[in-house]
Amino acid sequence: MSTVDSPVSSTRKRTKPNASTTRGQAPIVNMSRATTTNGKYHAHSSSLEKLNGEALSPRSRSREEYPLDTHEDAPVEMSLLGNGVRVDAALEEDEEEKDKLSKPLSEKDKKAMVLLIILYLIQGVPLGLALGSVPFLLREHLSYAQLAFISFSSYPYSLKLFWSPIVDSLFYHKLGRRKSWIVPMQLVIGTMMLLISTNTATIMEKPGGHIVELTITWTLLVFFAATQDIAVDGWALTLLSDDAKAYASTAQTIGLNTGYFASYTVFLAFNSEGFASKYGVPRLTLSTYLRFWSVVCYAVTAWLFFFKKEEPVAHDDPDLQLKSVYKSMWRMCKLKHVQKLFLMHLVAKIAYLGHESVTSLKLVEKGLAKEDLAVAVLIDFPFQIIAGWLAGRWSRGDKPLRPWLMAFWVRVAFVFVGMAMVATFPGNPLGWGWFLLYIVVTVTNGFAGTIQFVGVSAFHTRISDPTIGGTYMTMLNTAANMGGTWPGFFILRGVDYFTIAHCQVPDKAFGTLIKASECVSEQGKDQCKKLAGNCVIERDGYYIVATACFAIGVTLWITFVRPTALTLQSLPFSKWRVNQPR
């Protein structure tokens, strides 16, 4: 979750050689068109444009921005530019880009921004619960192996590509192309949250017998939120004017992150009994929180249905041909460079996922209060916004993956910092020294994570084929998301598999301690609790899994990921095109 979308990136206009140019003749370069336009934002929606000369939909970049020239033409074209001319052209490009970014938003665009932020906010609420709060609330009742099963609920958000063309092409014309999906999805989300609130107390207190029910429920909720996201992403690029399309990512960043953090850190803080007693506020239960957001969801949906009109869609819109959409997706998957990029994404995050998936859960297991966790993440939030802005600047130019490559080592370094913090956790009450260290680690690691995310998103924006539109971006981001999703199940299972723990029960007759049973599974922990014993960990699988992920991930990074990334970012645009010779 995602959860910040692609940044704005600038792309250089290049002119196509004159059609009359013959072999041996230099192509004519029109210097008046050698400028740069601000790259238009591509949401993670899955719309496609018709190929071979059909009109582009509003979400596509113009062909002038991404010409269909071949790689062989580019060196000839650039060789005609003297150094001084290139500098002047670059200065002109920078000035034009600054002028576009400095234009104020119109009143229509401001209203559209507010609407988009609200829609993304509604999407972020269930995601923050399913992917953030619920695992933390269940940790004290479930084993890591059981949490691994529940982690499947995050998969729909990474796999939405496969049904996004359906959302783009099938709709009820009278209601509107995007409202036809947003309205029913939000009604379902609100209804599901209301239904979950009626029996959440029973299920959350004794979740051991409801693993399948919990997994199906939260997976469906994430599925409907992901479907709403597809429609909102597509609507963003028709709601906003051409000059304001770059702000679609800003709306998603504000809305989605606000909803996610409200349901994750803010909710965990107000749900904590310690926080409530410390600050004299009533404790916020999950049932109350779900009911509140279900009402908000219904209210926004009702306003959207009755008062917000959507512009009609042209009958010849290329996104409406569902069969051609999937055919183009298949042609894209057959590109060798895309296949390499997919494989790179699937293994690029392994090195630090063992740490980032389990460390926070381990700290909570050892006694880190939920309100302390919430404070650290809330402090981290503004730094992530700053990191996104910086990464957007650093990702410009010919090396957009440079910040992604550099920030990797920062995240890897925190693998051992995280293990050290778990091993040296002082217990409650926390000392200020350890807590400040925890905040610094959280902020720095989050900063590096945002740098990586925005950097790779800038690269995706740069290479996306304009004749395919948003679907190209969605496929690339699907691979990136899956790289952080698929290892989670095996990591959580591995922690339990490699852990050795026993129940230590006092023998009142002889005044000694005896081993009663294993204390890794949920059944073993329950049995130990009934015997009034304590779980003693002889070997913590967390350290083994985190170290194994580090070793495997760094080896793959040095031998495959980094060399592949350097090669891919140096390729010309023509190599990423679906419908021209490569």
Side-chain angles (χ1 to χ4, degrees), residues 232-254:
V232 175
D233 283 344
W235 202 10
L237 298 179
T238 55
L239 275 175
L240 296 169
S241 64
D242 289 339
D243 290 335
K245 281 184 173 61
Y247 291 97
S249 60
T250 304
Q252 186 174 48
T253 299
I254 296 172

mmCIF file with all atom_site columns, all heavy atoms in Angstrom, residues 232-254:
data_model
loop_
_atom_site.group_PDB
_atom_site.id
_atom_site.type_symbol
_atom_site.label_atom_id
_atom_site.label_alt_id
_atom_site.label_comp_id
_atom_site.label_asym_id
_atom_site.label_entity_id
_atom_site.label_seq_id
_atom_site.pdbx_PDB_ins_code
_atom_site.Cartn_x
_atom_site.Cartn_y
_atom_site.Cartn_z
_atom_site.occupancy
_atom_site.B_iso_or_equiv
_atom_site.pdbx_formal_charge
_atom_site.auth_seq_id
_atom_site.auth_comp_id
_atom_site.auth_asym_id
_atom_site.auth_atom_id
_atom_site.pdbx_PDB_model_num
ATOM 1   N N   . VAL A 1 232 ? -10.547 5.648  -8.938  1.00 0.00 ? 232 VAL A N   1
ATOM 2   C CA  . VAL A 1 232 ? -10.147 6.997  -8.524  1.00 0.00 ? 232 VAL A CA  1
ATOM 3   C C   . VAL A 1 232 ? -8.905  7.436  -9.285  1.00 0.00 ? 232 VAL A C   1
ATOM 4   O O   . VAL A 1 232 ? -8.793  8.596  -9.706  1.00 0.00 ? 232 VAL A O   1
ATOM 5   C CB  . VAL A 1 232 ? -9.901  7.047  -7.001  1.00 0.00 ? 232 VAL A CB  1
ATOM 6   C CG1 . VAL A 1 232 ? -9.376  8.416  -6.586  1.00 0.00 ? 232 VAL A CG1 1
ATOM 7   C CG2 . VAL A 1 232 ? -11.186 6.741  -6.244  1.00 0.00 ? 232 VAL A CG2 1
ATOM 8   N N   . ASP A 1 233 ? -7.944  6.525  -9.468  1.00 0.00 ? 233 ASP A N   1
ATOM 9   C CA  . ASP A 1 233 ? -6.743  6.869  -10.231 1.00 0.00 ? 233 ASP A CA  1
ATOM 10  C C   . ASP A 1 233 ? -7.097  7.315  -11.648 1.00 0.00 ? 233 ASP A C   1
ATOM 11  O O   . ASP A 1 233 ? -6.535  8.278  -12.165 1.00 0.00 ? 233 ASP A O   1
ATOM 12  C CB  . ASP A 1 233 ? -5.803  5.658  -10.306 1.00 0.00 ? 233 ASP A CB  1
ATOM 13  C CG  . ASP A 1 233 ? -5.034  5.426  -9.015  1.00 0.00 ? 233 ASP A CG  1
ATOM 14  O OD1 . ASP A 1 233 ? -4.993  6.340  -8.185  1.00 0.00 ? 233 ASP A OD1 1
ATOM 15  O OD2 . ASP A 1 233 ? -4.488  4.319  -8.844  1.00 0.00 ? 233 ASP A OD2 1
ATOM 16  N N   . GLY A 1 234 ? -8.028  6.595  -12.278 1.00 0.00 ? 234 GLY A N   1
ATOM 17  C CA  . GLY A 1 234 ? -8.435  6.979  -13.623 1.00 0.00 ? 234 GLY A CA  1
ATOM 18  C C   . GLY A 1 234 ? -9.178  8.298  -13.654 1.00 0.00 ? 234 GLY A C   1
ATOM 19  O O   . GLY A 1 234 ? -8.988  9.111  -14.561 1.00 0.00 ? 234 GLY A O   1
ATOM 20  N N   . TRP A 1 235 ? -10.016 8.526  -12.652 1.00 0.00 ? 235 TRP A N   1
ATOM 21  C CA  . TRP A 1 235 ? -10.799 9.762  -12.603 1.00 0.00 ? 235 TRP A CA  1
ATOM 22  C C   . TRP A 1 235 ? -9.907  10.968 -12.355 1.00 0.00 ? 235 TRP A C   1
ATOM 23  O O   . TRP A 1 235 ? -10.196 12.081 -12.815 1.00 0.00 ? 235 TRP A O   1
ATOM 24  C CB  . TRP A 1 235 ? -11.864 9.644  -11.514 1.00 0.00 ? 235 TRP A CB  1
ATOM 25  C CG  . TRP A 1 235 ? -13.026 10.581 -11.710 1.00 0.00 ? 235 TRP A CG  1
ATOM 26  C CD1 . TRP A 1 235 ? -13.299 11.339 -12.800 1.00 0.00 ? 235 TRP A CD1 1
ATOM 27  C CD2 . TRP A 1 235 ? -14.069 10.844 -10.777 1.00 0.00 ? 235 TRP A CD2 1
ATOM 28  N NE1 . TRP A 1 235 ? -14.459 12.061 -12.614 1.00 0.00 ? 235 TRP A NE1 1
ATOM 29  C CE2 . TRP A 1 235 ? -14.954 11.770 -11.371 1.00 0.00 ? 235 TRP A CE2 1
ATOM 30  C CE3 . TRP A 1 235 ? -14.360 10.366 -9.506  1.00 0.00 ? 235 TRP A CE3 1
ATOM 31  C CZ2 . TRP A 1 235 ? -16.087 12.242 -10.728 1.00 0.00 ? 235 TRP A CZ2 1
ATOM 32  C CZ3 . TRP A 1 235 ? -15.496 10.834 -8.865  1.00 0.00 ? 235 TRP A CZ3 1
ATOM 33  C CH2 . TRP A 1 235 ? -16.349 11.769 -9.464  1.00 0.00 ? 235 TRP A CH2 1
ATOM 34  N N   . ALA A 1 236 ? -8.823  10.772 -11.627 1.00 0.00 ? 236 ALA A N   1
ATOM 35  C CA  . ALA A 1 236 ? -7.937  11.889 -11.285 1.00 0.00 ? 236 ALA A CA  1
ATOM 36  C C   . ALA A 1 236 ? -7.435  12.610 -12.522 1.00 0.00 ? 236 ALA A C   1
ATOM 37  O O   . ALA A 1 236 ? -7.278  13.835 -12.534 1.00 0.00 ? 236 ALA A O   1
ATOM 38  C CB  . ALA A 1 236 ? -6.752  11.379 -10.458 1.00 0.00 ? 236 ALA A CB  1
ATOM 39  N N   . LEU A 1 237 ? -7.214  11.861 -13.594 1.00 0.00 ? 237 LEU A N   1
ATOM 40  C CA  . LEU A 1 237 ? -6.625  12.454 -14.784 1.00 0.00 ? 237 LEU A CA  1
ATOM 41  C C   . LEU A 1 237 ? -7.649  13.068 -15.723 1.00 0.00 ? 237 LEU A C   1
ATOM 42  O O   . LEU A 1 237 ? -7.296  13.647 -16.742 1.00 0.00 ? 237 LEU A O   1
ATOM 43  C CB  . LEU A 1 237 ? -5.804  11.394 -15.519 1.00 0.00 ? 237 LEU A CB  1
ATOM 44  C CG  . LEU A 1 237 ? -4.626  10.859 -14.693 1.00 0.00 ? 237 LEU A CG  1
ATOM 45  C CD1 . LEU A 1 237 ? -3.872  9.805  -15.463 1.00 0.00 ? 237 LEU A CD1 1
ATOM 46  C CD2 . LEU A 1 237 ? -3.711  11.972 -14.255 1.00 0.00 ? 237 LEU A CD2 1
ATOM 47  N N   . THR A 1 238 ? -8.926  12.962 -15.397 1.00 0.00 ? 238 THR A N   1
ATOM 48  C CA  . THR A 1 238 ? -9.945  13.701 -16.142 1.00 0.00 ? 238 THR A CA  1
ATOM 49  C C   . THR A 1 238 ? -10.562 14.801 -15.286 1.00 0.00 ? 238 THR A C   1
ATOM 50  O O   . THR A 1 238 ? -11.097 15.775 -15.809 1.00 0.00 ? 238 THR A O   1
ATOM 51  C CB  . THR A 1 238 ? -11.053 12.753 -16.641 1.00 0.00 ? 238 THR A CB  1
ATOM 52  O OG1 . THR A 1 238 ? -11.594 12.020 -15.530 1.00 0.00 ? 238 THR A OG1 1
ATOM 53  C CG2 . THR A 1 238 ? -10.496 11.775 -17.663 1.00 0.00 ? 238 THR A CG2 1
ATOM 54  N N   . LEU A 1 239 ? -10.490 14.644 -13.971 1.00 0.00 ? 239 LEU A N   1
ATOM 55  C CA  . LEU A 1 239 ? -10.968 15.704 -13.080 1.00 0.00 ? 239 LEU A CA  1
ATOM 56  C C   . LEU A 1 239 ? -10.063 16.926 -13.145 1.00 0.00 ? 239 LEU A C   1
ATOM 57  O O   . LEU A 1 239 ? -10.519 18.067 -13.119 1.00 0.00 ? 239 LEU A O   1
ATOM 58  C CB  . LEU A 1 239 ? -11.024 15.197 -11.634 1.00 0.00 ? 239 LEU A CB  1
ATOM 59  C CG  . LEU A 1 239 ? -12.282 14.440 -11.184 1.00 0.00 ? 239 LEU A CG  1
ATOM 60  C CD1 . LEU A 1 239 ? -12.081 13.922 -9.763  1.00 0.00 ? 239 LEU A CD1 1
ATOM 61  C CD2 . LEU A 1 239 ? -13.511 15.318 -11.250 1.00 0.00 ? 239 LEU A CD2 1
ATOM 62  N N   . LEU A 1 240 ? -8.757  16.681 -13.226 1.00 0.00 ? 240 LEU A N   1
ATOM 63  C CA  . LEU A 1 240 ? -7.787  17.770 -13.217 1.00 0.00 ? 240 LEU A CA  1
ATOM 64  C C   . LEU A 1 240 ? -7.482  18.243 -14.629 1.00 0.00 ? 240 LEU A C   1
ATOM 65  O O   . LEU A 1 240 ? -7.495  17.455 -15.582 1.00 0.00 ? 240 LEU A O   1
ATOM 66  C CB  . LEU A 1 240 ? -6.495  17.316 -12.537 1.00 0.00 ? 240 LEU A CB  1
ATOM 67  C CG  . LEU A 1 240 ? -6.605  16.948 -11.048 1.00 0.00 ? 240 LEU A CG  1
ATOM 68  C CD1 . LEU A 1 240 ? -5.326  16.272 -10.576 1.00 0.00 ? 240 LEU A CD1 1
ATOM 69  C CD2 . LEU A 1 240 ? -6.897  18.181 -10.207 1.00 0.00 ? 240 LEU A CD2 1
ATOM 70  N N   . SER A 1 241 ? -7.192  19.533 -14.771 1.00 0.00 ? 241 SER A N   1
ATOM 71  C CA  . SER A 1 241 ? -6.808  20.078 -16.069 1.00 0.00 ? 241 SER A CA  1
ATOM 72  C C   . SER A 1 241 ? -5.425  19.568 -16.441 1.00 0.00 ? 241 SER A C   1
ATOM 73  O O   . SER A 1 241 ? -4.706  18.999 -15.609 1.00 0.00 ? 241 SER A O   1
ATOM 74  C CB  . SER A 1 241 ? -6.809  21.609 -16.021 1.00 0.00 ? 241 SER A CB  1
ATOM 75  O OG  . SER A 1 241 ? -5.826  22.068 -15.098 1.00 0.00 ? 241 SER A OG  1
ATOM 76  N N   . ASP A 1 242 ? -5.023  19.796 -17.696 1.00 0.00 ? 242 ASP A N   1
ATOM 77  C CA  . ASP A 1 242 ? -3.725  19.310 -18.158 1.00 0.00 ? 242 ASP A CA  1
ATOM 78  C C   . ASP A 1 242 ? -2.578  19.871 -17.321 1.00 0.00 ? 242 ASP A C   1
ATOM 79  O O   . ASP A 1 242 ? -1.623  19.159 -16.997 1.00 0.00 ? 242 ASP A O   1
ATOM 80  C CB  . ASP A 1 242 ? -3.518  19.664 -19.636 1.00 0.00 ? 242 ASP A CB  1
ATOM 81  C CG  . ASP A 1 242 ? -4.423  18.847 -20.541 1.00 0.00 ? 242 ASP A CG  1
ATOM 82  O OD1 . ASP A 1 242 ? -4.895  17.781 -20.096 1.00 0.00 ? 242 ASP A OD1 1
ATOM 83  O OD2 . ASP A 1 242 ? -4.666  19.277 -21.686 1.00 0.00 ? 242 ASP A OD2 1
ATOM 84  N N   . ASP A 1 243 ? -2.655  21.157 -16.985 1.00 0.00 ? 243 ASP A N   1
ATOM 85  C CA  . ASP A 1 243 ? -1.580  21.781 -16.214 1.00 0.00 ? 243 ASP A CA  1
ATOM 86  C C   . ASP A 1 243 ? -1.535  21.286 -14.763 1.00 0.00 ? 243 ASP A C   1
ATOM 87  O O   . ASP A 1 243 ? -0.515  21.427 -14.093 1.00 0.00 ? 243 ASP A O   1
ATOM 88  C CB  . ASP A 1 243 ? -1.734  23.311 -16.206 1.00 0.00 ? 243 ASP A CB  1
ATOM 89  C CG  . ASP A 1 243 ? -1.448  23.910 -17.582 1.00 0.00 ? 243 ASP A CG  1
ATOM 90  O OD1 . ASP A 1 243 ? -0.708  23.252 -18.352 1.00 0.00 ? 243 ASP A OD1 1
ATOM 91  O OD2 . ASP A 1 243 ? -1.950  25.011 -17.866 1.00 0.00 ? 243 ASP A OD2 1
ATOM 92  N N   . ALA A 1 244 ? -2.639  20.712 -14.279 1.00 0.00 ? 244 ALA A N   1
ATOM 93  C CA  . ALA A 1 244 ? -2.716  20.296 -12.873 1.00 0.00 ? 244 ALA A CA  1
ATOM 94  C C   . ALA A 1 244 ? -2.625  18.789 -12.682 1.00 0.00 ? 244 ALA A C   1
ATOM 95  O O   . ALA A 1 244 ? -2.697  18.316 -11.557 1.00 0.00 ? 244 ALA A O   1
ATOM 96  C CB  . ALA A 1 244 ? -4.018  20.821 -12.256 1.00 0.00 ? 244 ALA A CB  1
ATOM 97  N N   . LYS A 1 245 ? -2.467  18.038 -13.765 1.00 0.00 ? 245 LYS A N   1
ATOM 98  C CA  . LYS A 1 245 ? -2.428  16.579 -13.633 1.00 0.00 ? 245 LYS A CA  1
ATOM 99  C C   . LYS A 1 245 ? -1.276  16.109 -12.750 1.00 0.00 ? 245 LYS A C   1
ATOM 100 O O   . LYS A 1 245 ? -1.347  15.055 -12.117 1.00 0.00 ? 245 LYS A O   1
ATOM 101 C CB  . LYS A 1 245 ? -2.327  15.927 -15.010 1.00 0.00 ? 245 LYS A CB  1
ATOM 102 C CG  . LYS A 1 245 ? -3.649  15.858 -15.746 1.00 0.00 ? 245 LYS A CG  1
ATOM 103 C CD  . LYS A 1 245 ? -3.502  15.108 -17.056 1.00 0.00 ? 245 LYS A CD  1
ATOM 104 C CE  . LYS A 1 245 ? -4.863  14.875 -17.712 1.00 0.00 ? 245 LYS A CE  1
ATOM 105 N NZ  . LYS A 1 245 ? -5.572  16.089 -18.046 1.00 0.00 ? 245 LYS A NZ  1
ATOM 106 N N   . ALA A 1 246 ? -0.197  16.886 -12.716 1.00 0.00 ? 246 ALA A N   1
ATOM 107 C CA  . ALA A 1 246 ? 0.940   16.502 -11.883 1.00 0.00 ? 246 ALA A CA  1
ATOM 108 C C   . ALA A 1 246 ? 0.573   16.468 -10.406 1.00 0.00 ? 246 ALA A C   1
ATOM 109 O O   . ALA A 1 246 ? 1.232   15.794 -9.614  1.00 0.00 ? 246 ALA A O   1
ATOM 110 C CB  . ALA A 1 246 ? 2.101   17.480 -12.098 1.00 0.00 ? 246 ALA A CB  1
ATOM 111 N N   . TYR A 1 247 ? -0.502  17.178 -10.022 1.00 0.00 ? 247 TYR A N   1
ATOM 112 C CA  . TYR A 1 247 ? -0.884  17.221 -8.613  1.00 0.00 ? 247 TYR A CA  1
ATOM 113 C C   . TYR A 1 247 ? -1.733  16.025 -8.193  1.00 0.00 ? 247 TYR A C   1
ATOM 114 O O   . TYR A 1 247 ? -2.125  15.924 -7.031  1.00 0.00 ? 247 TYR A O   1
ATOM 115 C CB  . TYR A 1 247 ? -1.647  18.520 -8.325  1.00 0.00 ? 247 TYR A CB  1
ATOM 116 C CG  . TYR A 1 247 ? -0.786  19.748 -8.399  1.00 0.00 ? 247 TYR A CG  1
ATOM 117 C CD1 . TYR A 1 247 ? -0.738  20.526 -9.555  1.00 0.00 ? 247 TYR A CD1 1
ATOM 118 C CD2 . TYR A 1 247 ? 0.006   20.136 -7.318  1.00 0.00 ? 247 TYR A CD2 1
ATOM 119 C CE1 . TYR A 1 247 ? 0.062   21.643 -9.638  1.00 0.00 ? 247 TYR A CE1 1
ATOM 120 C CE2 . TYR A 1 247 ? 0.810   21.257 -7.388  1.00 0.00 ? 247 TYR A CE2 1
ATOM 121 C CZ  . TYR A 1 247 ? 0.826   22.012 -8.553  1.00 0.00 ? 247 TYR A CZ  1
ATOM 122 O OH  . TYR A 1 247 ? 1.631   23.117 -8.636  1.00 0.00 ? 247 TYR A OH  1
ATOM 123 N N   . ALA A 1 248 ? -2.023  15.128 -9.127  1.00 0.00 ? 248 ALA A N   1
ATOM 124 C CA  . ALA A 1 248 ? -2.776  13.930 -8.759  1.00 0.00 ? 248 ALA A CA  1
ATOM 125 C C   . ALA A 1 248 ? -2.008  13.103 -7.731  1.00 0.00 ? 248 ALA A C   1
ATOM 126 O O   . ALA A 1 248 ? -2.592  12.543 -6.801  1.00 0.00 ? 248 ALA A O   1
ATOM 127 C CB  . ALA A 1 248 ? -3.072  13.099 -10.007 1.00 0.00 ? 248 ALA A CB  1
ATOM 128 N N   . SER A 1 249 ? -0.683  13.021 -7.904  1.00 0.00 ? 249 SER A N   1
ATOM 129 C CA  . SER A 1 249 ? 0.126   12.273 -6.930  1.00 0.00 ? 249 SER A CA  1
ATOM 130 C C   . SER A 1 249 ? 0.110   12.943 -5.565  1.00 0.00 ? 249 SER A C   1
ATOM 131 O O   . SER A 1 249 ? 0.152   12.268 -4.535  1.00 0.00 ? 249 SER A O   1
ATOM 132 C CB  . SER A 1 249 ? 1.565   12.148 -7.430  1.00 0.00 ? 249 SER A CB  1
ATOM 133 O OG  . SER A 1 249 ? 2.138   13.425 -7.601  1.00 0.00 ? 249 SER A OG  1
ATOM 134 N N   . THR A 1 250 ? 0.038   14.277 -5.548  1.00 0.00 ? 250 THR A N   1
ATOM 135 C CA  . THR A 1 250 ? -0.035  14.993 -4.274  1.00 0.00 ? 250 THR A CA  1
ATOM 136 C C   . THR A 1 250 ? -1.326  14.664 -3.545  1.00 0.00 ? 250 THR A C   1
ATOM 137 O O   . THR A 1 250 ? -1.334  14.432 -2.337  1.00 0.00 ? 250 THR A O   1
ATOM 138 C CB  . THR A 1 250 ? 0.048   16.515 -4.524  1.00 0.00 ? 250 THR A CB  1
ATOM 139 O OG1 . THR A 1 250 ? 1.239   16.810 -5.245  1.00 0.00 ? 250 THR A OG1 1
ATOM 140 C CG2 . THR A 1 250 ? 0.035   17.275 -3.205  1.00 0.00 ? 250 THR A CG2 1
ATOM 141 N N   . ALA A 1 251 ? -2.432  14.638 -4.297  1.00 0.00 ? 251 ALA A N   1
ATOM 142 C CA  . ALA A 1 251 ? -3.728  14.296 -3.690  1.00 0.00 ? 251 ALA A CA  1
ATOM 143 C C   . ALA A 1 251 ? -3.695  12.887 -3.114  1.00 0.00 ? 251 ALA A C   1
ATOM 144 O O   . ALA A 1 251 ? -4.196  12.636 -2.011  1.00 0.00 ? 251 ALA A O   1
ATOM 145 C CB  . ALA A 1 251 ? -4.849  14.420 -4.727  1.00 0.00 ? 251 ALA A CB  1
ATOM 146 N N   . GLN A 1 252 ? -3.098  11.957 -3.843  1.00 0.00 ? 252 GLN A N   1
ATOM 147 C CA  . GLN A 1 252 ? -3.044  10.585 -3.348  1.00 0.00 ? 252 GLN A CA  1
ATOM 148 C C   . GLN A 1 252 ? -2.134  10.477 -2.126  1.00 0.00 ? 252 GLN A C   1
ATOM 149 O O   . GLN A 1 252 ? -2.449  9.758  -1.170  1.00 0.00 ? 252 GLN A O   1
ATOM 150 C CB  . GLN A 1 252 ? -2.557  9.634  -4.438  1.00 0.00 ? 252 GLN A CB  1
ATOM 151 C CG  . GLN A 1 252 ? -2.626  8.174  -4.005  1.00 0.00 ? 252 GLN A CG  1
ATOM 152 C CD  . GLN A 1 252 ? -2.280  7.222  -5.105  1.00 0.00 ? 252 GLN A CD  1
ATOM 153 O OE1 . GLN A 1 252 ? -1.278  7.416  -5.785  1.00 0.00 ? 252 GLN A OE1 1
ATOM 154 N NE2 . GLN A 1 252 ? -3.075  6.190  -5.291  1.00 0.00 ? 252 GLN A NE2 1
ATOM 155 N N   . THR A 1 253 ? -1.010  11.182 -2.157  1.00 0.00 ? 253 THR A N   1
ATOM 156 C CA  . THR A 1 253 ? -0.100  11.155 -1.020  1.00 0.00 ? 253 THR A CA  1
ATOM 157 C C   . THR A 1 253 ? -0.786  11.646 0.247   1.00 0.00 ? 253 THR A C   1
ATOM 158 O O   . THR A 1 253 ? -0.702  11.013 1.300   1.00 0.00 ? 253 THR A O   1
ATOM 159 C CB  . THR A 1 253 ? 1.141   12.019 -1.309  1.00 0.00 ? 253 THR A CB  1
ATOM 160 O OG1 . THR A 1 253 ? 1.826   11.494 -2.443  1.00 0.00 ? 253 THR A OG1 1
ATOM 161 C CG2 . THR A 1 253 ? 2.080   12.038 -0.118  1.00 0.00 ? 253 THR A CG2 1
ATOM 162 N N   . ILE A 1 254 ? -1.477  12.778 0.140   1.00 0.00 ? 254 ILE A N   1
ATOM 163 C CA  . ILE A 1 254 ? -2.139  13.359 1.321   1.00 0.00 ? 254 ILE A CA  1
ATOM 164 C C   . ILE A 1 254 ? -3.283  12.471 1.789   1.00 0.00 ? 254 ILE A C   1
ATOM 165 O O   . ILE A 1 254 ? -3.377  12.125 2.971   1.00 0.00 ? 254 ILE A O   1
ATOM 166 C CB  . ILE A 1 254 ? -2.650  14.781 0.998   1.00 0.00 ? 254 ILE A CB  1
ATOM 167 C CG1 . ILE A 1 254 ? -1.462  15.706 0.682   1.00 0.00 ? 254 ILE A CG1 1
ATOM 168 C CG2 . ILE A 1 254 ? -3.463  15.335 2.171   1.00 0.00 ? 254 ILE A CG2 1
ATOM 169 C CD1 . ILE A 1 254 ? -1.896  17.067 0.179   1.00 0.00 ? 254 ILE A CD1 1
#
